[in-house]
Amino acid sequence: VQLQASGGGLVQAGTSLRLSCVASGRTFRNYGMGWFRQPPGKEREFVAAISWSGGSTYYADSVKGRFTISRDNAKNTVYLQMNSLKPEDTAVYYCAAKSGYNNYHMMTGYNYWGQGTQVTVSS
């Protein structure tokens, strides 16, 4: 699976941004999808994930209630809608694809990674 993330940018705190990740190469609907982020000088961390069907979603506590993950299997695309952005959301955001049906929050379970898109939130 090849993953291409886009939609990052420089925004002000309190505003919204939507990231997209388009998959190609294998059957998209066979994979759970996740978003991770790496803030400057920090480790990569889990943000959100969605099951292959879209029926189950998972969020880090830090984004719960502000971010929404969704997918459109017809378009081979997963989205991350980010609302009420904060400066601490500043990071490079990565999408990833995994087989299997558990441990969505763990990076080690993901087989394929996109290149990352920069999100910068100014105060």
Side-chain angles (χ1 to χ4, degrees):
V1 177
Q2 290 80 46
L3 302 173
Q4 181 71 41
S6 63
L10 172 62
V11 297
Q12 290 189 328
T15 61
S16 299
L17 207 57
R18 188 176 81 158
L19 305 183
S20 300
C21 176
V22 180
S24 62
R26 289 180 182 258
T27 306
F28 177 69
R29 64 178 178 270
N30 288 346
Y31 293 88
M33 299 296 296
W35 286 97
F36 291 77
R37 67 186 182 187
Q38 187 162 15
K42 296 185 179 180
E43 298 288 317
R44 194 173 300 189
E45 62 185 20
F46 171 72
V47 176
I50 188 166
S51 63
W52 68 271
S53 67
S56 297
T57 55
Y58 311 86
Y59 297 94
D61 288 343
S62 59
V63 306
K64 204 170 292 183
R66 299 188 298 122
F67 290 12
T68 302
I69 189 171
S70 61
R71 65 189 296 161
D72 185 338
N73 286 345
K75 295 182 178 180
N76 287 359
T77 303
V78 62
Y79 304 99
L80 185 68
Q81 177 67 43
M82 305 185 294
N83 298 332
S84 301
L85 282 162
K86 304 175 180 180
E88 50 264 43
D89 294 318
T90 295
V92 177
Y93 284 71
Y94 299 89
C95 60
K98 73 182 303 294
S99 53
Y101 303 100
N102 51 20
N103 297 325
Y104 282 92
H105 64 290
M106 296 178 65
M107 287 193 297
T108 53
Y110 288 80
N111 310 95
Y112 306 99
W113 290 82
Q115 86 291 358
T117 184
Q118 176 71 48
V119 173
T120 303
V121 184
S122 64
S123 57

